[in-house]
Amino acid sequence: MNEYLEQTGREAKEAEVTVRNLSTEKKNEVLCAVADKLLQRREEILKANEEDVKNGRENHMPESLVDRLLLTEDRILGMADGLRQIAKLDDPVGEVIGMKKRPNGLMIGQKRVPLGVIGIIYEARPNVTSDAFGLCFKTGNVVILKGGSDAIHSNTAIVSCIREALKECGVTEQAISLITDTSRETAAQFMKLNQYVDVLIPRGGKGLIQTVVNTSTIPVIETGTGNCHIYVDETADLKMAADIVMNAKTQRVGVCNACESLLVHKNVKEEFLPVLGKRLLEKKVEIRGDEETEKLIPEAKKATEEDWGTEYLDYILSVKIVDSVEEAISHINHYNTGHSESIITNDYSHAQKFLDEVDAAAVYVNASTRFTDGNEFGFGAEIGISTQKLHARGPMGLPALTTTKYIIYGNGQIRP
Amino acid sequence: MNEYLEQTGREAKEAEVTVRNLSTEKKNEVLCAVADKLLQRREEILKANEEDVKNGRENHMPESLVDRLLLTEDRILGMADGLRQIAKLDDPVGEVIGMKKRPNGLMIGQKRVPLGVIGIIYEARPNVTSDAFGLCFKTGNVVILKGGSDAIHSNTAIVSCIREALKECGVTEQAISLITDTSRETAAQFMKLNQYVDVLIPRGGKGLIQTVVNTSTIPVIETGTGNCHIYVDETADLKMAADIVMNAKTQRVGVCNACESLLVHKNVKEEFLPVLGKRLLEKKVEIRGDEETEKLIPEAKKATEEDWGTEYLDYILSVKIVDSVEEAISHINHYNTGHSESIITNDYSHAQKFLDEVDAAAVYVNASTRFTDGNEFGFGAEIGISTQKLHARGPMGLPALTTTKYIIYGNGQIRP
């Protein structure tokens, strides 16, 4: 094992006890101090970011990525505001759940506690640096960040601000570490640091997430891709259905909770598809449909098998006609990525069946898939949207960054 | 990927929808039918087991392992009773948690649902076969079992009974599969089957668990080893303390919640240790102590650094004198395996400090560590005791074999 990583891990583990036991007040004080520090040292952050952007452009980074990398005064203000928002949220740590008395007099309950050391692997978005720190620190966790090499100067400057604020508040700077060696080899070794790191959260594209899942010996929380479907049932209010499809497809296309695939019951295809098709085409959405869709929307292209499994993140929608709610559910369970799925219907039993049988993190009746989001669900903040089944599923608020331990009050009980 | 494993995984995944949607009534009917079938075909199971035991003895298997492998009429009766007990437990699937109305009218709640396909890797205990099936099936999961090669004939016979009962109840036999190729290579490949298997639970010794953690690309629930401590504080009721230590050390030594290490406050060492030492020696417990312990219990051997980190699972106890509750907590957090830890004290703030700061699945005041157990906690059944922090921590009852999904009732909401 790389000595530098070993040391980073050991120092993080050592800081764990201190950070775990900080009062909510102290944690909030630090979060606000970091916000102040980011604003105070914004010139320095912007300068570091300029260097990253310059390098990115020299290495022919696509403009969409440059835009994610770029920091401005406004974006730094946004980072600082984000930290102040996190300071305002309830601290989930310390809550005791379901304390019960056993027949032998033992009082047994579950206390919510920090996870310990959280590793975050992400790509070229420097705002994730302060955001991830804020969420992990608020929940009493130590965080080790491994950002992309493209953002190394920006991340170093941001982490330097965070550490200075920690120090000024009298809290160990080891509460956050940044792995500055951005080689792939170091990244791979980082994912094996299960002796020191309790959980690893990848934030980024499909490739990054797959690499982490296949390499890590640390437990991983997968935040994922969304091949989200809307199924328009035969009893749907077709005006509502069209409004929801338009919202879920076009309100913002590059996000994981956008709709990528539409299923329409055969009995409403003639009435629904030409009208919807017109609205989609007005918004420059490319339609890729099965044979029957092509007949009803002449502008539609032919969908291939690959289309049914694709998360476009673009102005493209695949469309398929189905014979029944059962066929819709079975298609969705086959092709979806376990993110968000919606049925538009006025049939009670179809609604319940869809909610019961569709296997996804969020299943909707008569609403847009775009609501799968920590803020929309009322969590106030979000570390990502889990598309896996262990520990957390769906939008992850602060409690997803905690675990529980059993606490037991006795008065001399021994086991017979 | 091994074609046989690929097929096993695919078939399990295909069975998932059927098993997930079985009614509680149907699941209970199957569990009782399997219990009947095990009794009905017990001669055949005993004969298969005889062969395993004969092979084990020929391969010089230690008698303690032979005892774990051995089935008798009584043990088969126990397996059948276990399944009937599971049938009597509440089904956690379907419960909806915390449904709330958002300002926009969306009703959002979390519904408890099966995990999907659960893989269990275990060693030479054939009773795990029916037990694991019972717990997984009751929670609507499909299970793939990979037992040890030593028990292959017994496991094959038991799984054949389970499948026959499933078939007679009209439920897909794919609800359970047994991987009969017991090579190490196949085991390693099984741990990479993350396309089909949602979670992998190893049940067995430290070596098995480490291999699974380091090899698996499937999310793992670690069930673990227990280097459990009892700390006797200066204000402890010393009679209570001695009773608890005796119970936690000697009531059953080969279990993960047995006490392996004792910490004693320096102010009570003279009064406590000679008395306790006598009781331990009467029970033939070997004492390995630090220098001060050796002075107070002449029969004690010298503890090495290795002793502090060892789970003996035997009539051995390590003993150390500490200066304060802080030193005790810091020693425990350094050497423990995150299982069960207990403080014996009458000091309010020390009790709260210990509960707050000790990092383990179960932290006790004034009680034996032996209570860390699904039945003792009132869960009715247990799939294992998790010593990791993600998803489940401590004794895992039926809910640990489930996940949740968000269900959302709308009436046309779109995201502004």
Side-chain angles (χ1 to χ4, degrees):
Chain A
M1 174 60 69
N2 182 315
E3 213 173 283
Y4 161 67
L5 279 181
E6 180 81 28
Q7 190 186 332
T8 306
R10 203 172 42 241
E11 286 175 357
K13 205 75 202 167
E14 280 163 16
E16 194 186 304
V17 186
T18 315
V19 177
R20 193 201 302 149
N21 291 313
L22 291 173
S23 68
T24 305
E25 242 173 15
K26 190 73 191 176
K27 291 189 286 191
N28 292 343
E29 179 197 326
V30 168
L31 290 169
C32 294
V34 173
D36 291 343
K37 191 63 73 182
L38 289 174
L39 296 180
Q40 196 185 311
R41 289 174 58 182
R42 63 183 180 278
E43 293 301 331
E44 190 187 330
I45 297 171
L46 289 172
K47 217 166 156 182
N49 183 252
E50 259 173 42
E51 195 164 344
D52 287 331
V53 170
K54 185 169 141 272
N55 290 340
R57 289 227 162 91
E58 279 174 19
N59 296 324
H60 312 289
M61 181 186 271
E63 272 309 305
S64 62
L65 287 191
V66 171
D67 180 61
R68 288 181 169 206
L69 174 57
L70 186 73
L71 289 178
T72 60
E73 288 251 353
D74 258 13
R75 286 186 179 181
I76 293 179
L77 209 65
M79 286 159 60
D81 275 353
L83 291 167
R84 290 208 181 86
Q85 287 301 323
I86 294 171
K88 282 186 199 139
L89 293 177
D90 282 343
D91 184 351
V93 171
E95 184 194 4
V96 176
I97 308 151
M99 168 98 38
K100 278 183 192 138
K101 195 171 192 169
R102 297 287 305 151
N104 62 3
L106 284 179
M107 298 275 298
I108 304 182
Q110 278 183 292
K111 186 173 178 180
R112 198 164 281 292
V113 294
L115 280 167
V117 178
I118 299 179
I120 313 250
I121 298 194
Y122 55 113
E123 292 172 335
R125 298 183 67 161
N127 64 318
V128 171
T129 309
S130 68
D131 188 41
F133 166 76
L135 295 167
C136 292
F137 187 78
K138 174 79 186 207
T139 43
N141 294 291
V142 172
V143 65
I144 303 180
L145 302 174
K146 166 81 189 64
S149 56
D150 296 328
I152 185 68
H153 297 97
S154 316
N155 289 339
T156 304
I158 295 165
V159 169
S160 159
C161 291
I162 297 173
R163 287 193 145 207
E164 191 176 284
L166 282 163
K167 200 175 173 185
E168 286 173 11
C169 294
V171 176
T172 172
E173 297 168 80
Q174 308 296 352
I176 182 170
S177 308
L178 175 70
I179 294 175
T180 50
D181 172 354
T182 56
S183 70
R184 264 166 198 276
E185 201 180 281
T186 298
Q189 289 194 335
F190 177 47
M191 299 177 206
K192 307 270 186 200
L193 220 58
N194 61 343
Q195 193 188 344
Y196 301 115
V197 183
D198 293 289
V199 52
L200 192 57
I201 306 177
R203 287 182 64 168
K206 206 171 163 180
L208 173 71
I209 290 164
Q210 275 316 306
T211 305
V212 172
V213 167
N214 289 324
T215 311
S216 180
T217 59
I218 305 167
V220 173
I221 300 181
E222 243 180 277
T223 62
T225 48
N227 180 22
C228 305
H229 297 74
I230 293 176
Y231 165 58
V232 178
D233 198 21
E234 57 182 322
T235 60
D237 172 334
L238 296 182
K239 167 74 170 66
M240 180 200 286
D243 287 347
I244 287 175
V245 172
M246 290 309 293
N247 180 259
K249 180 67 255 179
T250 69
Q251 193 251 0
R252 205 170 153 200
V253 294
V255 290
C256 59
N257 56 18
C259 175
E260 306 288 9
S261 195
L262 172 68
L263 305 175
V264 177
H265 192 280
K266 61 178 181 184
N267 291 355
V268 290
K269 64 181 181 187
E270 278 95 359
E271 195 184 341
F272 183 61
L273 276 184
V275 179
L276 176 75
K278 204 170 154 233
R279 288 181 66 179
L280 286 168
L281 293 166
E282 272 166 19
K283 284 271 192 182
K284 310 246 180 279
V285 176
E286 180 185 323
I287 299 165
R288 301 192 187 168
D290 61 0
E291 222 166 277
E292 295 176 79
T293 304
E294 287 183 293
K295 283 184 205 154
L296 292 160
I297 309 177
E299 296 85 349
K301 297 184 181 169
K302 183 155 187 57
T304 63
E305 170 65 22
E306 206 193 329
D307 279 301
W308 307 127
T310 300
E311 182 189 25
Y312 301 116
L313 298 172
D314 203 347
Y315 285 89
I316 309 173
L317 180 71
S318 67
V319 182
K320 185 182 166 73
I321 311 302
V322 294
D323 287 350
S324 63
V325 65
E326 287 80 11
E327 189 188 342
I329 292 171
S330 148
H331 177 94
I332 290 171
N333 283 341
H334 185 78
Y335 290 103
N336 82 343
T337 54
H339 198 295
S340 302
E341 313 296 339
S342 185
I343 183 175
I344 318 301
T345 190
N346 199 33
D347 184 296
Y348 176 79
S349 60
H350 288 188
Q352 293 300 94
K353 191 180 179 70
F354 194 87
L355 288 174
D356 277 351
E357 297 186 13
V358 168
D359 192 20
V363 189
Y364 293 82
V365 179
N366 294 342
S368 169
T369 55
R370 288 280 291 114
F371 287 106
T372 305
D373 172 278
N375 284 307
E376 294 296 330
F377 275 26
F379 304 161
E382 176 192 289
I383 188 85
I385 294 169
S386 163
T387 52
Q388 53 153 44
K389 295 180 177 176
L390 278 197
H391 187 68
R393 197 176 190 199
M396 295 187 289
L398 292 177
L401 296 177
T402 65
T403 179
T404 57
K405 67 179 174 192
Y406 283 99
I407 58 172
I408 303 106
Y409 294 95
N411 49 17
Q413 282 83 352
I414 59 173
R415 189 156 165 190
Chain B
M1 176 59 69
N2 182 315
E3 212 173 286
Y4 161 67
L5 279 180
E6 180 81 28
Q7 190 187 333
T8 306
R10 203 173 40 240
E11 286 175 356
K13 206 74 202 166
E14 280 165 15
E16 194 186 303
V17 187
T18 314
V19 176
R20 192 201 303 148
N21 291 314
L22 291 173
S23 69
T24 304
E25 240 173 16
K26 190 74 192 176
K27 291 189 284 191
N28 292 343
E29 178 196 326
V30 168
L31 290 169
C32 293
V34 173
D36 291 343
K37 190 63 73 182
L38 290 175
L39 296 179
Q40 195 186 310
R41 288 174 59 183
R42 64 183 178 279
E43 292 302 332
E44 189 187 332
I45 298 172
L46 288 173
K47 215 165 159 184
N49 184 252
E50 258 172 46
E51 195 164 347
D52 287 331
V53 170
K54 185 169 141 270
N55 291 340
R57 290 224 162 93
E58 278 174 16
N59 296 324
H60 311 290
M61 182 187 270
E63 272 307 307
S64 62
L65 288 191
V66 172
D67 180 60
R68 288 182 168 203
L69 175 58
L70 187 72
L71 289 178
T72 59
E73 288 251 354
D74 258 13
R75 288 186 178 180
I76 293 178
L77 209 66
M79 287 159 59
D81 275 354
L83 291 167
R84 291 207 180 88
Q85 286 302 322
I86 295 171
K88 281 185 198 141
L89 294 175
D90 282 344
D91 184 351
V93 171
E95 184 194 7
V96 176
I97 307 152
M99 168 98 39
K100 278 182 191 138
K101 195 170 191 169
R102 297 286 306 149
N104 62 4
L106 284 179
M107 297 278 297
I108 303 183
Q110 277 182 293
K111 185 173 178 180
R112 197 164 281 291
V113 294
L115 280 166
V117 178
I118 298 179
I120 314 251
I121 298 195
Y122 55 113
E123 293 172 335
R125 298 183 68 159
N127 63 318
V128 171
T129 308
S130 68
D131 188 40
F133 166 75
L135 295 167
C136 292
F137 187 77
K138 175 79 186 206
T139 44
N141 294 290
V142 172
V143 65
I144 304 180
L145 302 174
K146 166 82 190 62
S149 55
D150 297 328
I152 186 67
H153 296 98
S154 316
N155 289 339
T156 304
I158 295 165
V159 170
S160 158
C161 291
I162 297 173
R163 288 194 145 207
E164 191 175 286
L166 281 163
K167 200 175 173 185
E168 286 173 11
C169 294
V171 176
T172 171
E173 296 169 79
Q174 308 295 351
I176 182 171
S177 309
L178 175 71
I179 295 175
T180 49
D181 173 353
T182 57
S183 69
R184 265 165 198 274
E185 200 181 280
T186 298
Q189 289 193 335
F190 177 46
M191 299 177 206
K192 308 269 185 203
L193 220 58
N194 61 345
Q195 193 190 343
Y196 301 116
V197 183
D198 293 289
V199 53
L200 191 58
I201 306 177
R203 287 182 65 168
K206 208 172 160 178
L208 173 73
I209 291 164
Q210 275 317 305
T211 305
V212 172
V213 167
N214 290 324
T215 312
S216 180
T217 59
I218 305 167
V220 173
I221 299 181
E222 244 180 276
T223 61
T225 49
N227 180 22
C228 305
H229 298 73
I230 293 175
Y231 165 57
V232 178
D233 198 20
E234 56 182 324
T235 60
D237 172 333
L238 296 182
K239 168 73 170 66
M240 181 200 286
D243 288 347
I244 287 174
V245 172
M246 291 308 295
N247 180 259
K249 180 67 256 179
T250 68
Q251 194 250 359
R252 203 168 155 202
V253 294
V255 290
C256 59
N257 56 17
C259 175
E260 306 288 8
S261 195
L262 172 68
L263 306 175
V264 178
H265 192 280
K266 60 177 180 186
N267 290 354
V268 291
K269 67 180 177 187
E270 279 95 358
E271 196 186 339
F272 183 62
L273 276 184
V275 179
L276 177 75
K278 206 172 151 230
R279 288 180 66 179
L280 286 167
L281 293 166
E282 272 167 17
K283 283 272 192 181
K284 310 243 180 283
V285 176
E286 180 184 322
I287 299 165
R288 301 193 189 166
D290 61 0
E291 224 165 273
E292 295 176 79
T293 303
E294 286 183 292
K295 283 182 204 153
L296 292 161
I297 309 177
E299 295 86 350
K301 296 184 182 166
K302 184 157 183 54
T304 63
E305 170 64 22
E306 207 193 329
D307 279 302
W308 308 127
T310 300
E311 183 190 24
Y312 299 116
L313 298 172
D314 203 347
Y315 285 89
I316 309 174
L317 181 71
S318 67
V319 181
K320 187 184 164 73
I321 311 300
V322 295
D323 287 351
S324 62
V325 64
E326 287 81 11
E327 189 188 342
I329 291 170
S330 148
H331 177 94
I332 289 170
N333 283 341
H334 185 78
Y335 290 103
N336 82 343
T337 54
H339 198 293
S340 301
E341 313 295 339
S342 184
I343 184 175
I344 317 301
T345 191
N346 198 33
D347 184 295
Y348 175 80
S349 60
H350 288 188
Q352 294 299 95
K353 192 181 179 68
F354 194 88
L355 288 174
D356 276 352
E357 298 186 12
V358 168
D359 193 21
V363 190
Y364 293 82
V365 179
N366 294 342
S368 170
T369 54
R370 288 280 291 115
F371 287 105
T372 305
D373 173 278
N375 284 308
E376 294 296 331
F377 276 25
F379 302 162
E382 176 192 288
I383 187 85
I385 295 170
S386 163
T387 53
Q388 53 152 43
K389 296 179 176 177
L390 278 197
H391 187 69
R393 197 177 190 199
M396 295 187 288
L398 292 177
L401 296 178
T402 66
T403 180
T404 56
K405 68 179 175 192
Y406 283 99
I407 58 171
I408 302 106
Y409 293 94
N411 48 18
Q413 282 84 351
I414 59 172
R415 190 155 165 191

